[in-house]
Amino acid sequence: MSSKPARPKPGAQAKGCLREWRKYSISAGFVLLWLIGLLVIYRDAEQMAANTETKIRKEMGIETRAMAAKLAGMLERTYLTVKTISLLPAVRAAASRNRGDAAEDVVDEGHFSGDDATIIQQLYNHIAADVEVSEIYLVYDGFAPEQGQVPFLMFDEVLLERISTAHTHAPTHDADVPEEYEAAEYAEYVRQLDHLRRHAPRLPDEAPQGIAAVTSALLRTCDNSQYTSLANGDQRDSHGLLLSVPIYDLSSKAFKGLVTAVLRANVLEAALLGWPRLPVTELDRAMLAQQRIDLQSPPAEYVLENRGTGDRIMDRRSTSLPRVLAEQERAAIHLAQDVRLPYSSAWRLHRYKSAADLDRAIAPIRREMWQRLGLLSMLLAALGLAVERVFAVQRRSTRTLTLMANYDALTGLPNRRLVAEHLANALSRAPTASSQYAVLMIDLDDFKEVNDSLGHQVGDRLLVEVAQRFVDSLRASDQLLQLHCEAEPLDVNSSMVGRLGGDEFLVLLPEQSGLAQVVGIAERLQASLREPIALDREQIYVHASIGIAVYPEHGSDGPLLLRSADAAMYLAKRQGRGQTVVFQQDLDEQSRQRLHLLTDLHSALALNQFTLHYQPELNLASGQIDCVEALIRWQHPTLGLIYPAHFIALLEQSGLVLEVGQWALESACRQLKSWQDNHSPIKHLCVNVSVKQLAQPGFAESLQDTIRNVGIAPEALTLELTESMLMQHPEANIHLLQSLRKTGVKVALDDFGTGYSSFSYLRQLPLDVLKIDRSFVIDTGTPQGLAICHTITALAQRLGLKVIAEGIESAEQFCNMHATGSDWMQGYLIARPLPAEQIDPFARGFDWHAFRVDNDLLEHSPEWLPWPHRAPSPS
């Protein structure tokens, strides 16, 4: 009899299934926790990758804008140089003819004078040293290369010496014949002449602004200064751009030719790499190695494009950029930035980041993700500890990136970005009516001299010490934002000291009761610098210029407030070391006027806007006007007559003081010669010179040439230098004055008493004349002031110096300075500065007796006579 197996009961079946599932519960929990951990880690990695890509894109944008500005500066400076050459009177007035052949010398043939050629040469030397322009050519309309004509070539001995040195290291070959490229280059000159003749036929009314420019496509030039042989070099090194501006006739202002600069493509390519030049020759490689340039660095990601010609310049080492440009490969990031130029909008800078490069940048994050996942899988039993560790790593990375983005690596202070953010947040809360929000812009005075003389490492240590002193000074009584705070957010009610870069600092001061409190804090910051800073064996005294601006009086938002503080700071620097200035509303207008004057100064000399006035000096030994001081004036076409106090500092800043000073010296000497030829009483002349002129190599020889060419005696000329200028570098200036004295001219120390020169330096200075400053003359109305003038005069006489009293404006001052024993008097009491045509009649008609009567001088001393006629005083 058969039997069937018994069927399990439903309850027992359910329990069995439950037991079966229990076996997998731990595994299921493990898988579930692993999946949760995987999701967390993956999302974290993706977020970090996204943040990294955003940061890379932002940094690329900043770098691209900086590179575009750098390239724009190179092209614009080249344009400004050739434009300046095109506006030179000699270039505009020269005959519109070209060189018949390369052997024709422009100076010997009389096309340009030696001085004019030297000016053009100096302009070329300046831009060639800055941008490495190969050559500068002058091509006049009607250029006919087929007739053998060649352009006027400007080159310097430095370039020739460099070519010779390169040839010495690598001798030339038969293939090295740059002349074979002249046809293409000369054809481009003909094309550009035709283009400018049609599109820029006359000098624009707004000149020197608005002058046109034309840029060629890349072509092979005949320049051979960067490689020794085409056989050994790269053909691309012979390609270049021709940047040209028109020349307009001086009288008719009609187009007559062009000035062109040859800019090699490899110079722009080197700029894209951040190198001083490309390693074309072995000599170049040795120089770059000496400068520790890494020639194995990754290829640059930039492409410079001329949209007008279609030319592109890029790092020739790159293999990915040609594929990207040919659309054979897709770039992960592409940025484009216009290169802004005053004469062209065709240039654009592109920046590419390939997908492979971006993946390499994100690869560490990917690797970290798999490592964390593996660690999670291996240590799942300690899941809590592992997860905490993962997030701790993330937090540390975030804090590190935050510190790098927001704080200065050298001083630890908030950087420009964090300061601007903190200021914007604070101003958005609108400070209360009972308090003010102040901004202090600080710039260290003469910090560049520390770097130049002691090195950048000492300069960095100095900045760290200054930053610490500022922080300690504020921390003493102000609520100072804690630096590198990792837990608390920025408190907008806290003060902040930040470093903007270089030697510039910014202090934010919220909730100030009034301007007096802000000024007091500024004085406390100044006081923190009074003690010298000891660095190794050096004791360095630091001074700072501080500009103060207050919200909302001086600015309704952060940028305006910072600009106002910056304007006040620059005014403080112009007032001298260690000054504090509060912004005033007229500072913006002053800044605009100053910029306008600085622009007009560049053409003032060429337009003959400078003139000389002469102030008489009364010789007390003869009672005659036998000497005058030449004083420069600027006859501005719209502002009228401008006095030196308003533009001499601008001349110093712009570097024009050398050219204008030489003009003033030559003009004054010629005027003295004219007076002497007409038997004028005026026998001597005083001319102010700058220490920058004095420090120029060959100044003494140039002065001798000027005196010899004009035909005056050297002893008839006195050069005046201010005491404050001489005391900046007294030892060096003593040597300069000694070489100057050998020419036979006399040297006067002007404004004596204002430059704090020590008597030891006064004894060593090779001087002939001492001019007592007007401030001391004014004080002669007091016994103490008169005693000081007596002392100065006695000291000068013991040193064998003549004494001139400046600023005599009253009879009392005249008598007081006469009593001290001054040799000459100068001031408004005698005469104001006069034009040259009025000085000689004034000197001839000057009557000593009438002068004393008119100014009531006889009442002071009825027996007063010039020094030779005075009776000896009783013993």
PDB file of all heavy atoms in Angstrom, residues 97 107 161 217 307 322 338 355 412 460 537 544 629-630 696 714 728 787 815 823 855:
ATOM      1  N   ARG A  97      60.514 111.333 -49.592  1.00  0.00           N
ATOM      2  CA  ARG A  97      61.278 110.472 -50.502  1.00  0.00           C
ATOM      3  C   ARG A  97      61.824 109.295 -49.720  1.00  0.00           C
ATOM      4  O   ARG A  97      61.999 109.358 -48.506  1.00  0.00           O
ATOM      5  CB  ARG A  97      62.421 111.241 -51.142  1.00  0.00           C
ATOM      6  CG  ARG A  97      63.514 111.704 -50.183  1.00  0.00           C
ATOM      7  CD  ARG A  97      64.647 112.384 -50.934  1.00  0.00           C
ATOM      8  NE  ARG A  97      65.713 112.797 -50.040  1.00  0.00           N
ATOM      9  CZ  ARG A  97      66.695 111.999 -49.624  1.00  0.00           C
ATOM     10  NH1 ARG A  97      66.708 110.725 -49.983  1.00  0.00           N
ATOM     11  NH2 ARG A  97      67.651 112.454 -48.817  1.00  0.00           N
ATOM     12  N   VAL A 107      71.384 110.305 -42.380  1.00  0.00           N
ATOM     13  CA  VAL A 107      71.973 111.494 -41.755  1.00  0.00           C
ATOM     14  C   VAL A 107      72.951 112.159 -42.715  1.00  0.00           C
ATOM     15  O   VAL A 107      72.929 113.373 -42.928  1.00  0.00           O
ATOM     16  CB  VAL A 107      72.659 111.122 -40.435  1.00  0.00           C
ATOM     17  CG1 VAL A 107      73.342 112.346 -39.823  1.00  0.00           C
ATOM     18  CG2 VAL A 107      71.637 110.562 -39.450  1.00  0.00           C
ATOM     19  N   GLU A 161      75.007  93.750 -31.926  1.00  0.00           N
ATOM     20  CA  GLU A 161      75.909  92.973 -31.067  1.00  0.00           C
ATOM     21  C   GLU A 161      75.298  91.613 -30.752  1.00  0.00           C
ATOM     22  O   GLU A 161      75.990  90.597 -30.716  1.00  0.00           O
ATOM     23  CB  GLU A 161      76.163  93.753 -29.769  1.00  0.00           C
ATOM     24  CG  GLU A 161      77.109  93.022 -28.814  1.00  0.00           C
ATOM     25  CD  GLU A 161      77.333  93.812 -27.534  1.00  0.00           C
ATOM     26  OE1 GLU A 161      76.846  94.954 -27.461  1.00  0.00           O
ATOM     27  OE2 GLU A 161      77.995  93.272 -26.634  1.00  0.00           O
ATOM     28  N   ALA A 217      48.899  90.763 -42.273  1.00  0.00           N
ATOM     29  CA  ALA A 217      48.832  89.338 -41.962  1.00  0.00           C
ATOM     30  C   ALA A 217      50.248  88.847 -41.638  1.00  0.00           C
ATOM     31  O   ALA A 217      51.234  89.547 -41.861  1.00  0.00           O
ATOM     32  CB  ALA A 217      48.248  88.574 -43.139  1.00  0.00           C
ATOM     33  N   ARG A 307      41.085  88.368 -36.153  1.00  0.00           N
ATOM     34  CA  ARG A 307      39.894  88.042 -36.927  1.00  0.00           C
ATOM     35  C   ARG A 307      39.869  88.739 -38.276  1.00  0.00           C
ATOM     36  O   ARG A 307      39.127  88.337 -39.170  1.00  0.00           O
ATOM     37  CB  ARG A 307      38.651  88.425 -36.111  1.00  0.00           C
ATOM     38  CG  ARG A 307      38.437  87.521 -34.901  1.00  0.00           C
ATOM     39  CD  ARG A 307      37.300  88.006 -34.047  1.00  0.00           C
ATOM     40  NE  ARG A 307      37.655  89.245 -33.345  1.00  0.00           N
ATOM     41  CZ  ARG A 307      36.844  89.888 -32.512  1.00  0.00           C
ATOM     42  NH1 ARG A 307      35.633  89.429 -32.296  1.00  0.00           N
ATOM     43  NH2 ARG A 307      37.232  90.992 -31.901  1.00  0.00           N
ATOM     44  N   PRO A 322      46.042  72.458 -32.392  1.00  0.00           N
ATOM     45  CA  PRO A 322      45.699  72.352 -33.823  1.00  0.00           C
ATOM     46  C   PRO A 322      44.498  71.438 -34.073  1.00  0.00           C
ATOM     47  O   PRO A 322      43.670  71.740 -34.939  1.00  0.00           O
ATOM     48  CB  PRO A 322      46.980  71.788 -34.453  1.00  0.00           C
ATOM     49  CG  PRO A 322      48.079  72.220 -33.524  1.00  0.00           C
ATOM     50  CD  PRO A 322      47.474  72.151 -32.154  1.00  0.00           C
ATOM     51  N   ASP A 338      38.412  89.572 -25.739  1.00  0.00           N
ATOM     52  CA  ASP A 338      38.892  90.566 -26.713  1.00  0.00           C
ATOM     53  C   ASP A 338      40.142  91.247 -26.187  1.00  0.00           C
ATOM     54  O   ASP A 338      40.239  91.575 -25.004  1.00  0.00           O
ATOM     55  CB  ASP A 338      37.812  91.617 -26.986  1.00  0.00           C
ATOM     56  CG  ASP A 338      36.666  91.056 -27.815  1.00  0.00           C
ATOM     57  OD1 ASP A 338      36.889  90.067 -28.517  1.00  0.00           O
ATOM     58  OD2 ASP A 338      35.544  91.611 -27.737  1.00  0.00           O
ATOM     59  N   ALA A 355      39.613  67.987 -22.737  1.00  0.00           N
ATOM     60  CA  ALA A 355      38.933  67.076 -21.816  1.00  0.00           C
ATOM     61  C   ALA A 355      39.944  66.227 -21.047  1.00  0.00           C
ATOM     62  O   ALA A 355      39.752  65.935 -19.867  1.00  0.00           O
ATOM     63  CB  ALA A 355      37.959  66.186 -22.597  1.00  0.00           C
ATOM     64  N   GLY A 412      48.873  86.290   6.007  1.00  0.00           N
ATOM     65  CA  GLY A 412      47.726  85.725   6.691  1.00  0.00           C
ATOM     66  C   GLY A 412      46.547  86.661   6.798  1.00  0.00           C
ATOM     67  O   GLY A 412      45.511  86.302   7.367  1.00  0.00           O
ATOM     68  N   ASP A 460      59.612  90.744   1.986  1.00  0.00           N
ATOM     69  CA  ASP A 460      58.493  89.923   2.467  1.00  0.00           C
ATOM     70  C   ASP A 460      58.441  89.907   3.986  1.00  0.00           C
ATOM     71  O   ASP A 460      57.359  90.004   4.595  1.00  0.00           O
ATOM     72  CB  ASP A 460      58.618  88.503   1.926  1.00  0.00           C
ATOM     73  CG  ASP A 460      58.334  88.433   0.425  1.00  0.00           C
ATOM     74  OD1 ASP A 460      57.802  89.417  -0.110  1.00  0.00           O
ATOM     75  OD2 ASP A 460      58.656  87.400  -0.193  1.00  0.00           O
ATOM     76  N   ARG A 537      70.716  92.253  10.187  1.00  0.00           N
ATOM     77  CA  ARG A 537      71.562  93.341  10.699  1.00  0.00           C
ATOM     78  C   ARG A 537      71.017  94.720  10.343  1.00  0.00           C
ATOM     79  O   ARG A 537      71.641  95.728  10.667  1.00  0.00           O
ATOM     80  CB  ARG A 537      72.969  93.209  10.130  1.00  0.00           C
ATOM     81  CG  ARG A 537      73.655  91.892  10.516  1.00  0.00           C
ATOM     82  CD  ARG A 537      75.041  91.833   9.893  1.00  0.00           C
ATOM     83  NE  ARG A 537      75.722  90.577  10.241  1.00  0.00           N
ATOM     84  CZ  ARG A 537      76.930  90.241   9.798  1.00  0.00           C
ATOM     85  NH1 ARG A 537      77.588  91.067   9.010  1.00  0.00           N
ATOM     86  NH2 ARG A 537      77.479  89.084  10.162  1.00  0.00           N
ATOM     87  N   ALA A 544      54.233 105.224   6.119  1.00  0.00           N
ATOM     88  CA  ALA A 544      53.059 104.842   5.346  1.00  0.00           C
ATOM     89  C   ALA A 544      52.233 106.074   5.015  1.00  0.00           C
ATOM     90  O   ALA A 544      52.148 107.014   5.808  1.00  0.00           O
ATOM     91  CB  ALA A 544      52.204 103.823   6.101  1.00  0.00           C
ATOM     92  N   GLU A 629      67.274 134.695 -12.644  1.00  0.00           N
ATOM     93  CA  GLU A 629      66.977 133.263 -12.530  1.00  0.00           C
ATOM     94  C   GLU A 629      65.917 132.902 -13.559  1.00  0.00           C
ATOM     95  O   GLU A 629      64.871 133.547 -13.646  1.00  0.00           O
ATOM     96  CB  GLU A 629      66.456 132.905 -11.132  1.00  0.00           C
ATOM     97  CG  GLU A 629      66.111 131.424 -10.986  1.00  0.00           C
ATOM     98  CD  GLU A 629      65.533 131.070  -9.623  1.00  0.00           C
ATOM     99  OE1 GLU A 629      65.372 131.983  -8.789  1.00  0.00           O
ATOM    100  OE2 GLU A 629      65.243 129.879  -9.401  1.00  0.00           O
ATOM    101  N   ALA A 630      66.195 131.876 -14.375  1.00  0.00           N
ATOM    102  CA  ALA A 630      65.261 131.414 -15.405  1.00  0.00           C
ATOM    103  C   ALA A 630      64.210 130.521 -14.756  1.00  0.00           C
ATOM    104  O   ALA A 630      64.544 129.547 -14.076  1.00  0.00           O
ATOM    105  CB  ALA A 630      66.002 130.655 -16.500  1.00  0.00           C
ATOM    106  N   GLN A 696      71.992 111.752 -15.273  1.00  0.00           N
ATOM    107  CA  GLN A 696      72.056 111.149 -16.599  1.00  0.00           C
ATOM    108  C   GLN A 696      73.508 110.951 -17.030  1.00  0.00           C
ATOM    109  O   GLN A 696      74.334 111.862 -16.884  1.00  0.00           O
ATOM    110  CB  GLN A 696      71.338 112.042 -17.621  1.00  0.00           C
ATOM    111  CG  GLN A 696      69.828 111.955 -17.570  1.00  0.00           C
ATOM    112  CD  GLN A 696      69.336 110.585 -17.993  1.00  0.00           C
ATOM    113  OE1 GLN A 696      69.575 110.117 -19.099  1.00  0.00           O
ATOM    114  NE2 GLN A 696      68.654 109.923 -17.082  1.00  0.00           N
ATOM    115  N   PRO A 714      81.584 129.476 -19.077  1.00  0.00           N
ATOM    116  CA  PRO A 714      80.963 128.559 -18.113  1.00  0.00           C
ATOM    117  C   PRO A 714      80.665 129.237 -16.784  1.00  0.00           C
ATOM    118  O   PRO A 714      79.634 128.943 -16.155  1.00  0.00           O
ATOM    119  CB  PRO A 714      82.008 127.446 -17.969  1.00  0.00           C
ATOM    120  CG  PRO A 714      82.825 127.515 -19.200  1.00  0.00           C
ATOM    121  CD  PRO A 714      82.853 128.953 -19.603  1.00  0.00           C
ATOM    122  N   GLN A 728      68.404 113.294  -0.853  1.00  0.00           N
ATOM    123  CA  GLN A 728      67.870 111.947  -1.014  1.00  0.00           C
ATOM    124  C   GLN A 728      68.995 110.914  -1.096  1.00  0.00           C
ATOM    125  O   GLN A 728      68.902 109.846  -0.521  1.00  0.00           O
ATOM    126  CB  GLN A 728      66.989 111.891  -2.261  1.00  0.00           C
ATOM    127  CG  GLN A 728      65.707 112.694  -2.130  1.00  0.00           C
ATOM    128  CD  GLN A 728      64.885 112.656  -3.403  1.00  0.00           C
ATOM    129  OE1 GLN A 728      65.250 111.998  -4.380  1.00  0.00           O
ATOM    130  NE2 GLN A 728      63.767 113.375  -3.405  1.00  0.00           N
ATOM    131  N   ALA A 787      68.255 135.743  13.897  1.00  0.00           N
ATOM    132  CA  ALA A 787      69.486 135.097  14.375  1.00  0.00           C
ATOM    133  C   ALA A 787      69.839 133.887  13.509  1.00  0.00           C
ATOM    134  O   ALA A 787      70.998 133.632  13.194  1.00  0.00           O
ATOM    135  CB  ALA A 787      69.329 134.687  15.845  1.00  0.00           C
ATOM    136  N   CYS A 815      65.969 144.969   4.545  1.00  0.00           N
ATOM    137  CA  CYS A 815      66.959 145.516   5.484  1.00  0.00           C
ATOM    138  C   CYS A 815      67.515 144.428   6.389  1.00  0.00           C
ATOM    139  O   CYS A 815      68.718 144.404   6.692  1.00  0.00           O
ATOM    140  CB  CYS A 815      66.321 146.635   6.319  1.00  0.00           C
ATOM    141  SG  CYS A 815      65.829 148.057   5.337  1.00  0.00           S
ATOM    142  N   ASP A 823      74.619 138.612  -0.304  1.00  0.00           N
ATOM    143  CA  ASP A 823      75.279 139.191  -1.474  1.00  0.00           C
ATOM    144  C   ASP A 823      74.285 139.631  -2.540  1.00  0.00           C
ATOM    145  O   ASP A 823      74.526 140.585  -3.267  1.00  0.00           O
ATOM    146  CB  ASP A 823      76.249 138.164  -2.070  1.00  0.00           C
ATOM    147  CG  ASP A 823      77.340 137.799  -1.078  1.00  0.00           C
ATOM    148  OD1 ASP A 823      78.242 138.604  -0.863  1.00  0.00           O
ATOM    149  OD2 ASP A 823      77.252 136.688  -0.511  1.00  0.00           O
ATOM    150  N   ASN A 855      61.070 152.656  -1.811  1.00  0.00           N
ATOM    151  CA  ASN A 855      60.708 151.632  -0.822  1.00  0.00           C
ATOM    152  C   ASN A 855      61.038 152.064   0.606  1.00  0.00           C
ATOM    153  O   ASN A 855      61.073 151.219   1.513  1.00  0.00           O
ATOM    154  CB  ASN A 855      61.443 150.318  -1.136  1.00  0.00           C
ATOM    155  CG  ASN A 855      60.963 149.693  -2.418  1.00  0.00           C
ATOM    156  OD1 ASN A 855      59.887 149.094  -2.464  1.00  0.00           O
ATOM    157  ND2 ASN A 855      61.756 149.844  -3.477  1.00  0.00           N
TER     158      ASN A 855
END
